[in-house]
Amino acid sequence: MSKRARILEIVKKFLEEAEEKGYTVYFVGPAGSIPAMAISLCLWKIFEPFRHLIHYIRACSGACLIMVPAAIGITSLVIEKIFRALRHLRNVVENIGFFAEYNQGTNLRGKLKDLWSYFTYGWFKATMTFWRHMADHRVGIVQGEHIKNLLRKIVKNATFKDAKPTLEIVATKDGSAEPYIFSEETTPNVTLWDATVASCAIEHLFAIQKIDDDYFVDAAAVETVPIESVIKSHIARGLDPKKLLIIGAVVHTLEKSDVFHAFTRQKSNSSTTQKRNFELEKDLAINRYGTKLLMLEFDANKVILPPAEPFAEFEELGKGFRFLRKLIAMIFNREAHDKFLRGIGIHLYKEINPAHFKLYLDHFEKIVDDKLERHIKEIKL
């Protein structure tokens, strides 16, 4: 028997035992971007054959791009094919100009197109965006329209009521300390793509989303992974938290303050804070409520990405592009803009560039089976 066949059998018996003992089973997707998407798909590929034994899917942030299609019945193989095919930062970032150097054009025409975008549209747009950022935290480099269009093409006319298991998407009302749940029960008229993008919004980086006169930000503002909110929903239904099983994973990513220095005040989005919150959520679930957690931890920093090098220098043509950029910045007194947006650019490259999805997925695939088997053995239902 292969390793994957063995883990499938273990998972099947585990979920059947949970059903026999009357557990409500939640499959949850963590906050995050490309790494969160990759681990959600990696884990769902194992649990998908037994979806009839799972009662709810609750996802947030980037994980929604995987779990929303999964909940309405699109197979993991199709989902994987769609996201492996994405190659460019411009698949998700509307204002590609200033960040064109991280787009990785695959041929001469693509690189020239990126160059043109960078040195024309990029500088104007970057300057305007910079000042808008200073005036309004709701402005973002990523507007969310490309992501909405991508998800709309995948799920077509599906709504929350078409999901089985029951689908719930977590976001946070801007300024609130409590998670907000989009679902068929609470928001039947909100589209799946609007709810997803609302769950992804991060001050300054990803435009704050407006739905029905309310503004929404990333679910990570209050939860690294939906654990506490699931328990509260379960209790609100009059059910015993000791008969609740939450399955999912969390991915620890790079510390944003390393490259995202302008936004270090956003403590809710720092990796250190998210790790601490995750530990507190686990402790609360297990020791206060007696909830069963099958929660795997992964480290995205162990995935080796191609270097975030800018355009080739072509020194034979004279001074390189980096020199020209710095010269322009100095002449127009825009050095602060360059530094400010370069930090964002590196973050976009590492965590939001869809071209890296397959690298994270391939890495997680190598280690998920052993990790999952070990964790299941530790749980006594």
Side-chain angles (χ1 to χ4, degrees):
M1 181 183 292
S2 68
K3 179 184 290 187
R4 179 50 59 94
R6 186 177 74 253
I7 195 63
L8 287 173
E9 184 63 26
I10 291 172
V11 167
K12 179 175 181 288
K13 290 180 179 178
F14 178 69
L15 290 176
E16 286 176 343
E17 182 183 359
E19 182 182 46
E20 290 172 3
K21 294 184 176 180
Y23 280 85
T24 298
V25 181
Y26 260 88
F27 187 97
V28 298
S33 45
I34 300 298
M37 291 170 58
I39 193 53
S40 295
L41 179 59
C42 180
L43 200 57
W44 181 249
K45 287 168 70 174
I46 297 174
F47 282 85
E48 182 180 34
F50 318 110
R51 61 184 301 145
H52 59 287
L53 299 173
I54 298 172
H55 303 95
Y56 294 89
I57 288 176
R58 179 172 292 193
C60 58
S61 201
C64 293
L65 287 166
I66 301 298
M67 299 317 305
V68 167
I72 66 168
I74 297 175
T75 69
S76 58
L77 291 177
V78 171
I79 297 171
E80 180 174 355
K81 182 178 179 180
I82 290 170
F83 285 100
R84 277 187 179 272
L86 300 182
R87 294 284 187 269
H88 304 291
L89 191 56
R90 60 168 49 94
N91 291 134
V92 295
V93 179
E94 292 83 0
N95 176 21
I96 193 63
F98 197 85
F99 310 107
E101 62 181 318
Y102 299 106
N103 198 50
Q104 297 176 300
T106 54
N107 52 40
L108 179 60
R109 184 173 180 273
K111 292 182 184 300
L112 290 175
K113 186 176 181 181
D114 288 344
L115 273 173
W116 179 260
S117 181
Y118 183 94
F119 279 102
T120 54
Y121 178 76
W123 270 101
F124 171 76
K125 194 69 174 178
T127 303
M128 297 301 293
T129 302
F130 178 85
W131 290 113
R132 291 177 65 202
H133 270 302
M134 296 301 98
D136 189 350
H137 72 282
R138 294 173 297 182
V139 175
I141 298 296
V142 182
Q143 298 301 304
E145 291 305 315
H146 284 195
I147 295 176
K148 286 182 185 179
N149 290 335
L150 174 62
L151 190 56
R152 189 184 291 115
K153 289 178 181 177
I154 299 173
V155 303
K156 303 189 185 304
N157 295 321
T159 65
F160 279 103
K161 70 178 180 180
D162 297 311
K164 191 175 182 181
T166 300
L167 175 64
E168 300 169 341
I169 295 175
V170 189
T172 310
K173 281 189 178 181
D174 193 13
S176 173
E178 294 294 327
Y180 185 91
I181 312 301
F182 292 97
S183 68
E184 170 63 15
E185 181 181 2
T186 59
T187 57
N189 296 322
V190 175
T191 65
L192 297 176
W193 46 87
D194 281 339
T196 292
V197 173
S199 181
C200 294
I202 300 175
E203 291 182 4
H204 299 290
L205 174 62
F206 197 124
I208 306 306
Q209 302 295 306
K210 184 179 180 181
I211 299 178
D212 294 337
D213 297 324
D214 288 316
Y215 290 95
F216 292 92
V217 297
D218 194 343
V222 291
E223 285 190 306
T224 301
V225 62
I227 294 177
E228 185 177 359
S229 68
V230 164
I231 295 173
K232 288 182 176 180
S233 294
H234 188 71
I235 293 173
R237 296 183 181 111
L239 300 174
D240 183 359
K242 292 182 180 179
K243 285 294 184 179
L244 174 62
L245 170 62
I246 303 176
I247 300 168
V250 63
V251 183
H252 302 303
T253 58
L254 80 162
E255 183 58 58
K256 292 177 177 59
S257 61
D258 293 342
V259 297
F260 216 17
H261 51 82
F263 304 145
T264 52
R265 71 180 184 83
Q266 292 181 257
K267 299 301 182 185
S268 64
N269 286 308
S270 79
S271 297
T272 300
T273 299
Q274 290 190 10
K275 287 180 183 178
R276 184 170 64 249
N277 289 345
F278 174 63
E279 292 301 324
L280 291 173
E281 289 162 9
K282 282 200 306 181
D283 181 69
L284 180 74
I286 296 170
N287 297 320
R288 179 178 175 181
Y289 292 107
T291 298
K292 302 298 183 183
L293 292 184
L294 177 58
M295 196 62 54
L296 311 185
E297 294 184 62
F298 296 83
D299 186 358
N301 295 299
K302 293 183 178 180
V303 178
I304 300 175
L305 303 177
E309 294 295 333
F311 302 124
E313 284 299 285
F314 300 121
E315 294 291 354
E316 63 274 14
L317 301 178
K319 295 292 186 179
F321 291 120
R322 280 191 292 273
F323 173 83
L324 292 175
R325 183 183 63 241
K326 291 177 181 178
L327 180 63
I328 293 172
M330 181 178 65
I331 292 173
F332 292 100
N333 194 26
R334 293 174 179 171
E335 292 166 295
H337 302 180
D338 189 30
K339 183 180 294 186
F340 175 86
L341 290 165
R342 186 154 310 284
I344 298 174
I346 294 173
H347 175 71
L348 291 173
Y349 173 80
K350 289 188 174 182
E351 289 198 38
I352 300 180
N353 193 338
H356 297 151
F357 174 80
K358 57 182 178 293
L359 300 178
Y360 287 114
L361 182 62
D362 290 343
H363 173 78
F364 296 147
E365 288 274 16
K366 294 176 183 177
I367 58 178
V368 67
D369 286 7
D370 291 338
K371 191 180 288 284
L372 182 57
E373 182 176 0
R374 185 169 64 252
H375 278 67
I376 287 177
K377 288 180 178 179
E378 294 172 356
I379 297 177
K380 303 298 181 183
L381 295 177

